[in-house]
Amino acid sequence: MKVGIVGAGMVGSAAGFALTLKGIATEVVFIDLNAARARAEAEDIAHAVPFGAPAVVRAGDYADLDGAGVVILACGVSQTPGETRLALLERNAEVFRAVVGEVMAHAPDAILLVASNPVDIMGQVTQTLSGLPPGRVIGSGTILDTARFRWLLGRHLGISPGSVHAYVLGEHGDSEVLAWSNARAGSVPLGSFAAQVGAPLTADIRARIDRGVRRAAYTIIEGKGATWYGIGGGLARIVAAIKGDEQAVLSVSTVEPEVAGIGPVALSLPRLVGREGVTATLWPELDEAEAEGLRASAGILRAQVEKLGL
């Protein structure tokens, strides 16, 4: 599969690296306002091709997106220390107004995969600007938050994160909802599994895991300025599901007509992802507090979209 990446910063380059090393993309094209940066990232990743799967990795311009199955939008300004994702809204919306038209002119059949923050709102902006059906504009959403949740639970329980089935819903940001009530380890409800292995999930441990998920980005940004490896891996996972028509269940963000009486709004829920993009939304059973949290998250996101006048 040919994959275009608009934005050759750390997120875009991490995604390109993961796509290449895992053999997901046969061709990766980087586009960036800084053409020298795009060439440098492409060449650096191309030098790793002999250690991975065959692929062409190069820099180009929008015309080179022709034939791309997926275009990752990792462009825009970066989140600064102490800045919330929602504070990026106005700055990145302006960037996307210039980018989306160019992408659609040259790759009208591509699925658009949005990585720029605030990702839910930028996904809704992209869907509006592109005119594509909602399922063909996918925000990375809470795929990384979900991975963090599973990793922290796996570490506490002493099991592989791949054996943990738990999701983070709603906004990729401060109002996100950790769905504890339906989380499982293997086929066993989380609380029961924790008791069986002698690793009970006390209120303190739940609070620590919640903070670890919710504050992870801020901690990483404080330490090194931005996050990129985790989301690069998450973007590669989404592209792999599209390429393989997996109908994989992933917590990604698309525009829903209505969520708890609020809408239209883009946020993350478990969704089926395959060759046509998102083909179905799976509505999880939540407890009362989680359902209210999801409603509140939808309200926050919808209020921000309304400020843009979409």
Side-chain angles (χ1 to χ4, degrees):
M1 172 181 280
K2 180 177 180 179
V3 178
I5 301 177
V6 182
M10 298 309 299
V11 170
S13 59
F17 185 64
L19 287 166
T20 302
L21 265 288
K22 291 177 71 68
I24 298 167
T26 54
E27 182 177 358
V28 176
V29 179
F30 283 101
I31 299 170
D32 198 284
L33 280 175
N34 184 342
R37 174 66 181 266
R39 286 193 300 271
E41 294 292 355
E43 187 168 344
D44 196 10
I45 294 170
H47 294 165
V49 168
F51 307 119
V56 174
V57 185
R58 63 190 178 93
D61 56 30
Y62 287 106
D64 294 302
L65 295 177
D66 180 48
V70 176
V71 176
I72 297 173
L73 302 181
C75 47
V77 293
S78 299
Q79 190 174 9
T80 58
E83 182 181 33
T84 66
R85 294 179 179 94
L86 293 178
L88 293 173
L89 175 57
E90 287 291 348
R91 295 197 292 151
N92 273 333
E94 196 62 34
V95 172
F96 271 57
R97 288 187 180 98
V99 168
V100 173
E102 291 281 2
V103 172
M104 293 305 301
H106 297 286
D109 297 324
I111 291 173
L112 305 186
L113 178 50
V114 181
S116 303
N117 277 322
V119 70
D120 304 292
I121 297 170
M122 298 316 303
Q124 190 158 355
V125 168
T126 300
Q127 193 268 321
T128 299
L129 293 173
S130 68
L132 289 171
R136 294 188 65 83
V137 180
I138 304 173
S140 56
T142 60
I143 195 166
L144 178 55
D145 310 89
T146 291
R148 290 165 174 160
F149 191 21
R150 294 177 179 182
W151 178 72
L152 287 167
L153 284 170
R155 189 170 67 171
H156 173 71
L157 298 172
I159 61 173
S160 166
S163 295
V164 178
H165 308 291
Y167 292 91
V168 178
L169 313 175
E171 178 201 359
H172 171 56
D174 296 338
S175 71
E176 64 191 20
V177 178
L178 279 65
W180 289 93
S181 65
N182 56 39
R184 305 180 82 81
S187 63
V188 181
L190 194 63
S192 175
F193 185 96
Q196 290 182 50
V197 299
L201 287 162
T202 65
D204 286 345
I205 289 171
R206 284 179 179 243
R208 184 178 47 131
I209 291 174
D210 184 281
R211 288 193 302 272
V213 174
R214 203 177 297 277
R215 300 297 301 175
Y218 297 109
T219 301
I220 294 169
I221 289 168
E222 183 180 352
K224 69 173 192 175
T227 67
W228 54 80
Y229 294 125
I231 189 57
L235 292 166
R237 178 67 189 95
I238 296 167
V239 175
I242 295 168
K243 177 186 178 182
D245 195 22
E246 293 182 24
Q247 300 303 313
V249 180
L250 302 173
S251 57
V252 294
S253 179
T254 60
V255 176
E256 282 291 330
E258 181 267 330
V259 176
I262 297 167
V265 62
L267 46 60
S268 286
L269 290 163
R271 291 187 165 98
L272 297 183
V273 180
R275 183 176 297 120
E276 299 303 317
V278 169
T279 57
T281 295
L282 307 175
W283 292 90
E285 296 182 4
L286 303 174
D287 66 23
E288 185 176 347
E290 292 163 352
E292 174 56 28
L294 184 61
R295 187 204 65 78
S297 189
I300 289 169
L301 289 166
R302 182 61 200 168
Q304 294 297 318
V305 168
E306 288 174 350
K307 292 179 181 179
L308 292 177
L310 292 177

